[in-house]
Amino acid sequence: MTLHGAQPPAGLLLAAGGGSRLGRPKALLELDGERLVDRGVRTLHDGGCAPVVVVAGAVTVEVIGAVVVPNPDWASGMGSSLRAGLAALPPECPAAVVALVDQPRVTSAAVSRLLAAYEDGARVAVATYGGRPRNPVLIAREHFDAVAASAVGDVGARPFLRANPDLITPVACDDVASPDDIDTPADLAAYLVRNDA
């Protein structure tokens, strides 16, 4: 039971991209025998989010434990995926944690910290690393429309966050997660080297 009622914040995993620089859709990339899309869903679930919604686009995916929402406009950029995902959340959903499929070092502990900030009254909570805001991001329902309206092209919630700094509660996650993303083969190779170290 959360302080804001029985319904916890939802998890929203943006996984629609084609991975043009990587050479394949990131959602299907396997690390340690697990697809990135499954890892992202698990991270959100383990962090306390329910339900978890995955926005798919370049490839059709089936994901156990998540509702998959297709974004036919995925090629227009991340903004359309964020809009599709927010629109698909159930009306009783009080907030959502937005995560990106290509950040495998984001952990359930980081998600849990955002939910704790929400329980403490934060309406917009952003994971920070070295003091810099990155992902994931928690957004309360009353801001969904404004976030969706500002999510155009290949940007997600960033325009909304930059326009409303007074709403943001920063949540330091340096010690439990990393926002490193896998955009290119070099990024993937670097991840694999670090993971084997």
Side-chain angles (χ1 to χ4, degrees), residues 7-189:
Q7 181 68 39
L12 180 53
L13 184 67
L14 305 185
S20 57
R21 287 191 288 163
L22 185 63
R24 53 184 152 157
K26 300 173 189 177
L28 302 183
L29 179 66
E30 286 196 15
L31 296 177
D32 305 317
E34 184 179 36
R35 298 181 306 174
L36 285 187
V37 66
D38 297 311
R39 178 185 294 233
V41 168
R42 178 171 54 83
T43 296
L44 289 165
H45 269 305
D46 290 352
C49 296
V52 174
V53 171
V54 173
V55 181
V59 290
T60 301
V61 293
E62 291 186 12
V63 188
I64 295 173
V67 176
V68 178
V69 175
N71 173 21
D73 297 324
W74 66 269
S76 68
M78 189 193 308
S80 64
S81 290
L82 180 55
R83 293 195 305 273
L86 291 174
L89 294 174
E92 67 272 16
C93 166
V97 174
V98 181
L100 307 182
V101 77
D102 65 353
Q103 295 182 326
R105 292 186 181 278
V106 166
T107 62
S108 58
V111 175
S112 295
R113 287 187 182 179
L114 293 181
L115 266 58
Y118 169 75
E119 289 298 332
D120 287 340
R123 311 311 290 157
V124 179
V126 179
T128 65
Y129 307 86
R132 296 185 60 219
R134 295 289 300 272
N135 291 295
V137 175
L138 178 142
I139 302 162
R141 171 166 285 281
E142 67 263 25
H143 300 302
F144 283 4
D145 288 347
V147 169
S150 66
V152 178
D154 203 28
V155 294
R158 191 181 311 140
F160 171 83
L161 298 174
R162 286 184 173 165
N164 297 278
D166 54 316
L167 293 177
I168 296 173
T169 299
V171 178
C173 293
D174 310 70
D175 58 325
V176 296
S178 166
D180 295 345
D181 47 19
I182 296 179
D183 280 336
T184 66
D187 294 339
L188 175 58

